[in-house]
Amino acid sequence: MNRSDFALSIDRRQFVAGSLAGAGALALGSQLTSSNASAATGAPHIMTSTQTAPFSLPTLPYADTALEPVMSAKTFSFHYAKHHKAYVDNLNGLVKDNAELSALSLEALIKKVAGDSSKAGVFNNAAQVWNHTFFWNSMKPGGGGKPSGRIADKINASFGDFDKFKTAFSDAAKTQFGSGWAWLVEDGGKLAVVKTPNAETPMAQGKKCLITLDVWEHAYYLDFQNRRPDYIAAFLDKLVNWEFAEKNLG
Ligand code: MN3
């Protein structure tokens, strides 16, 4: 199976039809793949997408109701079908007349314009497309709790124990002032927690992303109002997808 088969590529007809579930094969750049594909081919989980603009909204790995009651379908569907889609549409509009940028994959595009203030709009929308796809895959129905296996060993080695990781991740997510993201990354062989403002993404800095949590208010306000700490706890206790994290380790 060709790696590029798993590029950022929702089937537009499927999206228009309103089918958010199924597909199994997810999408997005070098870190988002189909677990089925990895299992089937034995290929490394981290892949490089070769798809170029126009980008499309990636397929979800579960139905938009699947994370209820922790994350409501209302929150999820607005977040995915409105916010995420707007970033995709904005990005396509911004690069459509730019031959250089249109020739790049999403990841290459993000890395190319990162830090270029004249391309801030392109960066913000491209990174938000990538970050959101990564976020959907960082969760699963019935997720959360303590991991096992290799990711658990890595967490223990890097943070001391799982509770210390939880504290570090929660603190990062709570203290990201305003909009942004909390991440578990691998950097130089060690795991670390980082927070980024707005659309910033550790991927652009060459770090290997393992898990992310969107802490923009639109991610939780309908379900938790101003109680960001409760949203963070719900993510860690009931949603986080440790298998995705482990696969991202490579
Ligand atoms: Mn968001």
Side-chain angles (χ1 to χ4, degrees), residues 5 11 24 43 55 67 85 110 114 141 167 175 185 197 227 234 240:
D5 291 349
D11 179 329
F55 299 103
L67 304 183
K85 183 175 186 298
I110 290 166
T167 301
T175 59
V185 302
R227 293 175 285 125
V240 63

Side-chain angles (χ1 to χ4, degrees), residues 79 83-84 87 128 132 135-136 180-181 214-216 218-219:
H79 201 173
H83 290 273
H84 195 178
Y87 295 125
Q128 285 293 79
H132 279 90
F135 177 47
W136 309 138
W181 301 82
D214 187 341
V215 296
W216 286 58
H218 67 227

Side-chain angles (χ1 to χ4, degrees), residues 34-104:
S34 159
S35 54
N36 293 337
S38 292
T41 62
H45 189 72
I46 296 172
M47 302 177 169
T48 300
S49 161
T50 55
Q51 184 177 358
T52 58
F55 299 103
S56 43
L57 190 64
T59 310
L60 290 170
Y62 40 71
D64 66 350
T65 54
L67 304 183
E68 290 199 309
V70 187
M71 185 177 286
S72 69
K74 190 168 184 185
T75 288
F76 201 101
S77 57
F78 268 94
H79 201 173
Y80 172 70
K82 304 288 186 193
H83 290 273
H84 195 178
K85 183 175 186 298
Y87 295 125
V88 173
D89 292 345
N90 291 341
L91 175 61
N92 287 334
L94 287 166
V95 301
K96 76 173 160 41
D97 297 322
N98 185 317
E100 186 188 14
L101 296 181
S102 290
L104 299 174

Side-chain angles (χ1 to χ4, degrees), residues 147-177:
S148 57
R150 216 154 47 90
I151 187 72
D153 295 343
K154 279 267 193 185
I155 285 172
N156 293 337
S158 301
F159 295 95
D161 59 39
F162 182 68
D163 285 340
K164 290 198 180 76
F165 154 75
K166 255 180 104 168
T167 301
F169 190 90
S170 301
D171 286 351
K174 283 176 202 165
T175 59
Q176 173 50 47
F177 185 76

